[in-house]
Each structure stands twice: as structure tokens, then as C-alpha cells.
């Protein structure tokens, strides 16, 4: 079966067409600047990237353009739309309503709409993609795969906040966690790569990119994760502050004469390693600046690594030990310096890093020594494949 995987943003749309039998991507692409002017980047497997400057006034037109690219005589990969057996959609927030992926129905759409107040920047965009595909491909089964679903196995002590309980009862204010599709995929691969027992394993997944989160996976189930009600909680990230004393918000608002909304904008878009360094949210730029003698860039990288190490240590306590640590996402897969900085804190766990193996970029490998008491791995994430697998399993 060929599965079209859609990841819809407010002004962009990522897609992959995946052959579920071979699990290979037949084509990947990105629609940019939807509602502004429009650009479609399309790359067929084994072919050259095609860039089309076309008008994309809305997401429905973008979906139609994607389908046209997939069936195009020169750069397409299928003869007709009838070859697409299902569509899998990434949906950011499923709240407490969805603990697993679901086949999309009118009732599911209504429930996703209700969760939109928890993810106002993401869920409405995801719904646009869902409705566009339903309109263009009626009768083709569609599945929603939620970022939050994998973390719905967290126990109450992990997801409750120290707030009046009525806020949870009335508004569902609790920790949800994100990057769930990635954490699920990577934890499963880590068991295979590290030779760990799925029924008796304690794995920490470090999804480190511009957005970053850590999860504790006990016997295949998420029991804690660093992000919370929103993706702002947890690690220091590219532009997000991560954990802070909430009183800082009032202090900065008064000092800088800012509204609550303006302070939130600072925490989400002007903080993290970008705000700390004054250089960039890209760790490649930070590494270069640090090597050139920029003390703020050096501090930003060191503080980021320290925060990751603290979370890993916390999850060692939560699970009463660790068998494996998996690094994934852009930074986790490619930055040997950051991995080394983080692992330097784990002598008490018996972690021993193999310097030569740690030098690899972007491929599946165990980077700890045979003597290490904890398997440390690099596991490239593949959220699109995970979505395709969930879609096939449901239909």
C-alpha cells in the first residue's frame, strides 16, 4: 500500500509518499509560503529536486498541487491517485481524548477542534490539511496520529501540576508532552539496536533539535517527558526558554513594560540558546562562535547540555535505572560535541563513550563502549515512517 503522510503547518505543508511494504519514501516534498505566494519543493526517490514557483492561496490548492506533482509525467512517482491507499496526518494535540492514533471521522474532527485551545497555532492548521484531503480524495481512509498520544501512559504523579486541582478538572491543565511520534519510533528502534528486552527495559530518548524534549520509556511505555501543557516547558531549546521560575514573567513584564502576550513571545521566540548567545538558534553557528572565543555561545551550549543531563538523571530516578540512552533529531543525530558534553555527566551510571563511534553523523549506531553499563545510541528519527506504520495498522 502507498501511504501519503501529511504534516500541515499554518503556512507550510510537508509530505511523503511511502510504500508500506518496502517502507521506502517514493517522494518527499514541502509546500512553502501558502497564502502568500507559493513554492513547492518536490523530490522523487532517486531523482532531482524540482522547485515549482506556483500560486498556493490556501491548503486545498497546496494539496492539489502535491497530488499533481506525485502524478506528473516527468517527476511523478505514481500513475494515478488511485494508487494512494490511505493518508496519515500528523496532529499536534490530542489532549486526553486520544491515547492512540485513530481513523478520522466527523466525530474525531470535532474532538480535534476541541483540543485546539491547547494548541492554537498547530491544531487548526492540522485540521485544514485533513479537510482538504477529505474534499479532494473522498473515500480514501485517513488517520490522525497525535504528538501527545504516546505520552498518555504517564502516571498522574508525572503529569499533574502543583496547581489547584480545579484547573485540571475544568480546563485539563496538565502535562501532555510532545514529539510523541518520534519518541515512540526511536524508543522501539533503540530496543532493537541496543539488544534490549521490550518487556524489561528502561530507555531515555533525547530528541534534540530546535525543539527539544527528553522522555523516560519504561518497558515500551512513556512514563515521563520534559514538555508540558505546551512545548515551552522542559529543556532550553533553539528559541524557547524551557523551565523557568514563573515569577520571572511578572518581573520582566514590569521592568520592560510588556504585556503577558509579549512576555510569552519572548519566552517562545527570543529565548533559548538564541537569546542566551545573541548569535543563533543553530548549534553549528554556536559551535563556530564558541571556537572563535564568544563566551556567550560557549555558555549557551554548556547550559543546554547540562539541562539535558539533569533530565536524564531525573528519569534514572523515575525508572530506578537506565539501560539505554538514545540521541535523535537534528542536533542529537549530528553534533558529537553536544553528545559528549551530555554524557560526561553520566559516570555514576557507568556510561563510557567510544570517541571514534561518537564521531558519526546521522546514522544508527551504538556509540558507547562494550564495557559501558548503559547502551548509548544514535537513532535517526523517522516520524513520517512512524505515521505511515500507524496508518496501515489501523486500516
Amino acid at each position: 500500500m502507498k501511504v501519503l503522510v501529511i504534516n500541515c503547518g499554518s503556512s507550510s505543508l510537508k509530505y511523503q509518499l511511502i510504500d508500506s511494504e518496502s517502507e521506502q519514501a517514493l517522494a518527499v516534498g514541502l509546500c512553502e509560503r501558502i497564502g502568500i505566494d507559493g513554492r513547492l519543493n518536490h523530490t522523487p526517490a532517486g531523482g532531482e529536486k524540482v522547485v515549482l514557483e506556483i500560486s498556493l492561496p490556501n491548503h486545498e490548492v497546496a494539496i492539489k498541487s502535491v497530488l499533481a506533482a506525485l502524478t506528473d509525467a516527468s517527476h511523478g512517482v505514481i500513475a494515478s491517485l488511485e494508487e494512494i491507499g490511505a493518508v496519515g496526518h500528523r496532529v499536534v494535540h490530542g489532549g486526553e481524548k486520544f491515547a492512540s492514533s485513530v481513523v478520522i471521522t466527523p466525530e474525531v474532527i470535532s474532538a480535534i477542534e476541541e483540543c485546539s485551545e491547547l494548541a492554537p497555532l498547530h491544531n487548526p492548521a492540522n485540521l485544514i490539511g485533513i479537510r482538504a484531503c477529505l474534499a479532494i480524495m473522498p473515500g480514501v481512509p485517513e488517520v490522525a496520529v497525535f504528538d501527545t498520544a504516546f505520552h498518555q501512559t504517564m502516571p498522574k504523579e508525572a503529569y499533574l501540576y502543583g496547581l489547584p486541582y480545579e484547573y485540571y478538572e475544568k480546563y485539563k491543565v496538565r502535562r501532555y508532552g510532545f514529539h510523541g511520534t518520534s519518541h515512540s519510533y526511536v524508543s522501539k528502534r533503540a530496543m532493537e539496536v541496543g539488544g534490549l528486552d521490550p518487556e524489561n527495559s528502561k530507555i531515555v530518548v533525547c530528541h534534540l533539535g530546535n525543539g527539544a524534549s527528553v522522555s523516560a520509556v519504561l518497558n515500551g511505555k512513556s512514563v515521563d517527558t520534559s514538555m508540558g501543557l505546551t512545548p515551552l516547558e522542559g529543556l532550553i531549546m533553539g528559541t524557547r526558554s524551557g523551565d523557568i521560575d514563573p515569577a520571572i514573567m511578572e518581573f520582566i513584564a514590569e521592568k520592560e513594560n510588556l504585556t503577558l502576550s509579549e512576555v510569552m513571545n519572548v519566552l517562545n521566540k527570543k529565548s533559548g540558546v538564541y537569546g542566551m548567545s545573541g548569535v543563533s538558534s543553530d548549534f553549528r553557528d554556536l559551535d563556530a562562535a564558541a571556537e572563535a572565543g564568544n563566551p556567550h555561545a560557549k555558555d549557551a551550549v554548556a547550559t543546554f547540555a547540562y539541562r539535558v543531563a539533569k533530565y536524564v538523571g531525573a528519569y534514572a530516578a523515575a525508572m530506578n535505572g537506565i539501560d539505554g540512552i538514545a540521541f535523535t533529531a537534528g542536533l542529537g543525530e549530528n553534533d558529537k560535541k553536544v553528545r559528549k558534553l551530555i554524557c560526561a555527566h553520566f559516570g555514576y551510571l557507568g556510561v563510557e563513550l567510544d570517541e571514534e563511534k561518537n564521531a558519526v553523523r546521522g546514522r544508527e549506531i551504538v556509540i558507547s563502549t562494550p564495557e559501558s553499563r548503559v547502551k548509548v545510541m544514535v537513532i535517526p528519527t523517522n516520524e513520517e515512517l512512524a505515521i505511515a506504520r500507524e496508518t496501515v495498522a489501523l486500516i
Side-chain angles (χ1 to χ4, degrees), residues 151 177-180 182-183 204-216 225-228 231 233-237 240 304 308 311 315 326 328-329:
H151 302 303
F178 298 87
H179 296 142
S182 175
H183 285 288
V204 175
V205 177
C206 301
H207 178 108
L208 309 180
N210 193 50
S213 62
V214 181
S215 68
T225 190
S226 56
M227 286 179 167
E233 185 182 353
L235 302 177
I236 294 168
M237 305 177 218
R240 297 179 190 136
F304 170 85
V308 175
Y311 264 99
Y315 293 160
T328 193

Side-chain angles (χ1 to χ4, degrees), residues 19-35:
D19 184 323
S20 65
E21 292 185 11
S22 66
E23 296 198 330
Q24 298 300 309
L26 304 177
V28 301
L30 170 67
C31 293
E32 301 177 281
R33 300 174 63 82
I34 299 172

Side-chain angles (χ1 to χ4, degrees), residues 158-175:
Y159 70 69
L160 287 177
Y161 284 117
L163 295 170
Y165 195 74
E166 63 183 290
Y167 296 151
Y168 170 62
E169 291 181 305
K170 291 194 294 187
Y171 311 120
K172 298 302 177 187
V173 174
R174 52 158 283 182
R175 301 181 64 252

Side-chain angles (χ1 to χ4, degrees), residues 23-145:
E23 296 198 330
Q24 298 300 309
L26 304 177
V28 301
L30 170 67
C31 293
E32 301 177 281
R33 300 174 63 82
I34 299 172
I36 303 170
D37 40 36
R39 180 183 304 115
L40 192 156
N41 303 281
H42 173 82
T43 306
E48 295 293 324
K49 179 179 179 179
V50 178
V51 180
L52 304 172
E53 302 288 346
I54 53 178
S55 176
L56 299 174
N58 55 54
H59 288 75
E60 187 165 344
V61 173
I63 294 284
K64 288 180 179 176
S65 301
V66 168
L67 297 177
L70 291 172
T71 55
D72 185 87
S74 61
H75 52 257
V77 293
I78 53 176
S80 74
L81 298 183
E82 292 180 2
E83 293 186 44
I84 298 176
V87 182
H89 295 269
R90 173 186 180 235
V91 179
V92 168
H93 218 306
E96 289 188 327
K97 298 178 184 293
F98 300 104
S100 61
S101 304
V102 293
V103 175
I104 294 171
T105 64
E107 292 75 22
V108 168
I109 289 175
S110 295
I112 294 173
E113 285 178 332
E114 291 176 20
C115 294
S116 289
E117 65 178 356
L118 296 172
L121 298 179
H122 299 93
N123 274 30
N126 303 152
L127 283 166
I128 289 171
I130 289 170
R131 290 192 171 105
C133 286
L134 288 171
I136 298 165
M137 293 183 284
V140 176
E142 310 212 11
V143 168
V145 180

